[in-house]
Amino acid sequence: MKKVHATATPNIALIKYWGNRNNELRLPAADSLSMTLDRPSLTLSLEESDQFSLTSFLNGEKKDLKPEDQRRFEHMINLSRRYLQNLGYKKPFPRSFSLEIQSAIPPRIGLASSAAVFAAFAKALSTFAEPERALTDAEISVLARFGSGSAARSIFGGFAMMHAGSSDDMASAFASQIANEQHWPLHDIIIAPSHDEKKVGSTEGHALAQTSAHFKERIKQIPRRMKECTDAILKKDFEKLQHMSEEDALDMHHVMETSTPSLQYLTDETHRIIKEIEDLRSTDHLEVLYTVDAGPTVHLICTDAARPTIIDYAKSKQEKGCTVFKTQIGQGAITIHQ
Ligand code: DP6
């Protein structure tokens, strides 16, 4: 039986994806943009099987999975099969699969573990359709999106964007690369104040976005921020990238906090880190920006020149109980055939 392995890593959004126009198909309400990281990574092994099975290990320890975890993978397989049949594939996949995940990414703390999982899954899955025709990366990103919206961006290395599209066609949202990982060697020093898993996951959160009175205004602002951010990346203009991405991150948290029920992902420690970085930046003129996804974890994106100071700062937080991940821009999901 054919067995495939794929590895993938999280990405950190600079313009955030929050809210869908179609939750079932994960068709986003707006474009988003991110940087793919080089670690922590996970490996997913996929084998043809008569019956679906899923086993997952976190740092070598077997995880207890809920029935809905399994359903999410099966849903992705079903949507992917439908999508490929629409593209003209006669028999894209075998009847079912057995999956094993070996991960080093703590889940549900704002570190995009689901982006890495579903990017690796999409990569591995796509190889089963290869005998009829190899999928393009954009098509693989559609498969990844069926599992997790942000996963579409982790298919690509460097900087990637999600094109939201506007129709209800299942293929209308896909990702593409803006610049590869050699273009601008930025770092992401990640400070996780806590490993407590968040109570409301992104999937449930996206479904609440429309309940915020601020959501419509946010959607209006995204095209401008996307343009400015893309421009900043292409010109390696750190200051511009910092302004756009911080504006967007705080704006997303404003939508979250004004949703019903209100979603509060930022903790006192998150606010403390942001304030300390702002202070450090104003005295030392450092090229560092902060951003926060759906969790208390703070991502400090910085240039080579600013990295030593940010590492020293992160060490001081580590001594106070935070977990630190030292990452940099990475290459995106890859498959290993056997
Ligand atoms: C705040 O991609 O995790 O990290 O599609 O339900 O898996 P699902 O949501 P997910 O949402 C990401 C939210 C975010 C912002 C971002 O990564 O763009």
Side-chain angles (χ1 to χ4, degrees):
M1 291 266 202
K2 176 173 165 169
K3 191 168 184 176
V4 183
H5 307 274
T7 68
T9 49
N11 63 74
I12 177 64
L14 295 160
I15 302 295
K16 310 287 187 188
Y17 151 50
W18 197 249
N20 289 317
R21 61 179 193 278
N22 179 323
N23 285 318
E24 204 238 334
L25 295 176
R26 285 190 160 79
L27 288 169
D31 293 351
S32 59
L33 188 159
S34 61
M35 174 172 115
T36 298
L37 306 180
D38 66 339
R39 63 173 73 97
S41 74
L42 64 78
T43 303
L44 180 145
S45 308
L46 187 63
E47 194 173 12
E48 184 177 345
S49 157
D50 289 336
Q51 237 193 337
F52 184 83
S53 76
L54 170 66
T55 327
S56 183
F57 298 86
L58 178 61
N59 294 320
E61 211 172 288
K62 193 165 171 199
K63 279 171 58 182
D64 283 334
L65 296 173
K66 300 189 193 84
E68 60 261 35
D69 295 326
Q70 175 156 334
R71 275 201 295 275
R72 188 163 172 180
F73 285 86
E74 289 179 294
H75 183 60
M76 174 164 155
I77 298 171
N78 292 338
L79 291 178
S80 300
R81 186 176 279 121
R82 208 165 93 201
Y83 166 57
L84 293 184
Q85 281 165 346
N86 289 347
L87 285 180
Y89 284 81
K90 299 217 160 42
K91 191 179 179 298
F93 305 137
R95 212 159 67 143
S96 201
F97 293 100
S98 131
L99 262 100
E100 188 186 294
I101 298 169
Q102 294 281 354
S103 177
I105 314 172
R108 294 173 73 89
I109 62 161
L111 237 175
S113 61
S114 65
V117 169
F118 291 102
F121 188 30
K123 267 289 205 197
L125 206 51
S126 72
T127 67
F128 284 83
E130 255 170 32
E132 282 191 54
R133 173 181 70 77
L135 273 74
T136 64
D137 282 345
E139 288 166 345
I140 299 172
S141 80
V142 173
L143 304 193
R145 196 200 81 222
F146 293 146
S148 174
S150 56
R153 302 182 312 235
S154 268
I155 294 300
F156 299 91
F159 299 92
M161 74 170 282
M162 170 72 112
H163 305 259
S166 56
S167 77
D168 256 346
D169 184 316
M170 69 197 304
S172 62
F174 63 93
S176 72
Q177 189 176 60
I178 293 172
N180 71 20
E181 59 276 23
Q182 268 90 45
H183 171 69
W184 198 9
L186 295 181
H187 303 270
D188 181 11
I189 310 303
I190 306 169
I191 305 181
S194 149
H195 278 224
D196 294 346
E197 295 193 4
K198 58 193 172 199
K199 292 181 187 72
V200 183
S202 302
T203 305
E204 300 146 79
H206 285 296
L208 300 176
Q210 270 88 352
T211 65
S212 162
H214 182 66
F215 183 66
K216 278 206 177 86
E217 182 54 31
R218 167 169 174 72
I219 298 301
K220 262 196 229 156
Q221 296 298 328
I222 296 226
R224 172 185 61 89
R225 291 189 193 136
M226 282 295 296
K227 193 186 162 302
E228 295 283 307
C229 214
T230 307
D231 200 46
I233 290 166
L234 295 176
K235 294 190 179 129
K236 301 183 202 168
D237 180 342
F238 196 89
E239 209 180 322
K240 193 168 179 180
L241 185 68
Q242 178 205 317
H243 285 306
M244 278 306 113
S245 56
E246 290 181 358
E247 177 184 305
D248 189 72
L250 297 176
D251 187 52
M252 175 186 72
H253 284 280
H254 181 49
V255 167
M256 291 163 159
E257 286 161 14
T258 51
S259 294
T260 311
S262 168
L263 300 175
Q264 310 274 346
Y265 289 114
L266 311 182
T267 63
D268 288 350
E269 190 57 27
T270 316
H271 288 293
R272 198 169 305 124
I273 296 170
I274 290 177
K275 172 82 181 56
E276 285 167 357
I277 289 299
E278 282 173 344
D279 291 348
L280 197 65
R281 189 163 64 190
S282 66
T283 49
D284 290 11
H285 303 290
L286 289 174
E287 288 187 322
V288 59
L289 67 87
Y290 60 79
T291 188
V292 188
D293 279 346
T297 300
V298 185
H299 293 252
L300 298 176
I301 298 177
C302 61
T303 56
D304 280 337
R307 187 177 183 272
T309 313
I310 299 305
I311 292 286
D312 283 349
Y313 170 76
K315 269 194 200 134
S316 74
K317 299 312 281 185
Q318 207 165 14
E319 281 157 17
K320 291 189 181 119
C322 295
T323 307
V324 172
F325 298 86
K326 298 171 199 160
T327 77
Q328 57 183 358
I329 195 160
Q331 66 170 349
I334 52 168
T335 21
I336 310 146
H337 291 263
Q338 269 190 352

